[in-house]
């Protein structure tokens, strides 16, 4: 029953700008029959225009909609979480065009066991994991901007006795590393969307990393991992169909 209002809301509000998400929910029993929805835009300006145009209007139903801006962000602290790689790609395709940017993997290295975590006093290892380190480069040729992202992907392989499970874990760790590296590279790019629809792009030097100044040959020689953040990452959101791990 929620498919109809959710799809209708998407069609109505996507006219005002790129949507991050649309979620429709049934009202609580005490509120009576009906729905409420939470619609997220990438741009606050697009959200304001949509609110002014749609509030009190009959968009796809008989009764007028009440539309308001939600300013309260539950669970968000001072620093907002980074966009996933699929969301970064969606945003770049919308504002820069499919040919307005490109990415390439500089290194994708298996760094499992380099920290010696699996050598704890000769104990039998019940659960093992594979780790891949990825260095990825994003280029915006029309704006002469090039950024890099470095990330670590990790996946559990259980006891490592099942070859299929091990291969699946390797692919998952690779995809996680590539996805997080792509997201990290995009965090250094600032998109400035003007009122007339034109887009300006700037490089955010405050997020610059030591690896950004290294030559490609130097990057390919990096295999030792001393410390890298392993924040939670949703693999289901990832769209990495351009990658092949058949080899």
């Amino acid at each position: 029953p929620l498919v109809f209002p959710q799809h209708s809301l998407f069609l109505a509000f996507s006219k005002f700008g790129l949507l991050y998400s649309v979620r429709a929910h049934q009202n609580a029993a005490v509120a009576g029959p009906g729905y409420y929805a939470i619609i997220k835009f990438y741009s606050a300006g697009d959200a304001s225009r949509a609110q002014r145009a749609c509030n009190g209007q009959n968009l796809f139903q008989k009764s007028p909609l009440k539309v308001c801006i939600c300013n309260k962000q539950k669970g968000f602290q001072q620093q907002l979480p980074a966009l996933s790689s699929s969301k970064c790609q969606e945003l770049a395709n919308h504002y820069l065009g499919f040919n307005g940017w490109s990415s390439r993997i500089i290194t994708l290295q298996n760094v499992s066991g380099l920290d010696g975590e699996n050598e704890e006093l000769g104990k039998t290892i019940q659960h093992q994991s594979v780790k891949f380190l990825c260095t990825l480069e994003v280029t915006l040729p029309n704006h002469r901007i090039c950024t890099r992202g470095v990330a670590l992907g990790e996946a559990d392989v259980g006891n490592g006795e099942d070859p299929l499970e091990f291969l699946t874990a390797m692919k998952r760790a690779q995809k996680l590393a590539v996805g997080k590296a792509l997201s990290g590279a995009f965090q250094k790019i600032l998109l400035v969307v003007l009122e007339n629809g034109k887009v300006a792009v700037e490089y955010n030097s405050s997020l610059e990393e030591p690896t950004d100044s290294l030559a490609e040959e130097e990057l390919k020689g990096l295999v030792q991992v001393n410390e890298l953040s392993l924040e939670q990452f949703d693999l289901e959101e990832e769209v990495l169909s351009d990658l092949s791990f058949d080899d």
Side-chain angles (χ1 to χ4, degrees), residues 107-129:
T107 61
L108 184 59
Q109 306 176 50
N110 189 338
V111 294
S112 306
L114 288 183
D115 52 6
E117 65 177 7
N118 292 335
E119 300 177 2
E120 185 182 349
L121 301 177
K123 292 181 179 179
T124 302
I125 302 171
Q126 298 298 326
H127 292 279
Q128 303 179 31
S129 64

Side-chain angles (χ1 to χ4, degrees), residues 9-10 13-14 19-23 37-41 47 67:
L9 286 167
F10 180 88
F13 283 91
S14 61
L19 298 178
Y20 179 85
S21 65
V22 178
R23 295 289 183 268
I38 299 174
I39 301 171
K40 294 183 179 181
F41 284 85
V67 182

Side-chain angles (χ1 to χ4, degrees), residues 60-74:
F60 53 85
Q61 74 298 326
K62 296 180 180 180
S63 57
L65 280 178
K66 180 181 180 181
V67 182
C68 59
I69 298 292
C70 178
N71 295 317
K72 187 176 181 181
Q73 297 290 342
K74 265 191 174 182

Side-chain angles (χ1 to χ4, degrees), residues 177-237:
V178 172
K180 291 197 288 185
L182 183 65
S183 177
F186 269 112
Q187 302 317 307
K188 303 170 188 176
I189 298 173
L190 297 175
L191 299 178
V192 183
V193 184
L194 307 177
E195 288 290 336
N196 58 7
K198 292 185 177 181
V199 179
V201 182
E202 293 185 6
Y203 176 73
N204 187 1
S205 58
S206 64
L207 298 177
E208 200 167 32
E209 298 172 308
T211 52
D212 294 341
S213 58
L214 294 178
E216 187 167 326
E217 292 74 17
E218 294 176 294
L219 285 171
K220 289 181 179 179
L222 293 178
V223 293
Q224 182 64 43
V225 181
N226 294 323
E227 181 178 356
L228 267 175
S229 175
L230 288 174
E231 62 269 79
Q232 293 297 321
F233 204 73
D234 188 359
L235 181 63
E236 293 181 356
E237 276 194 294

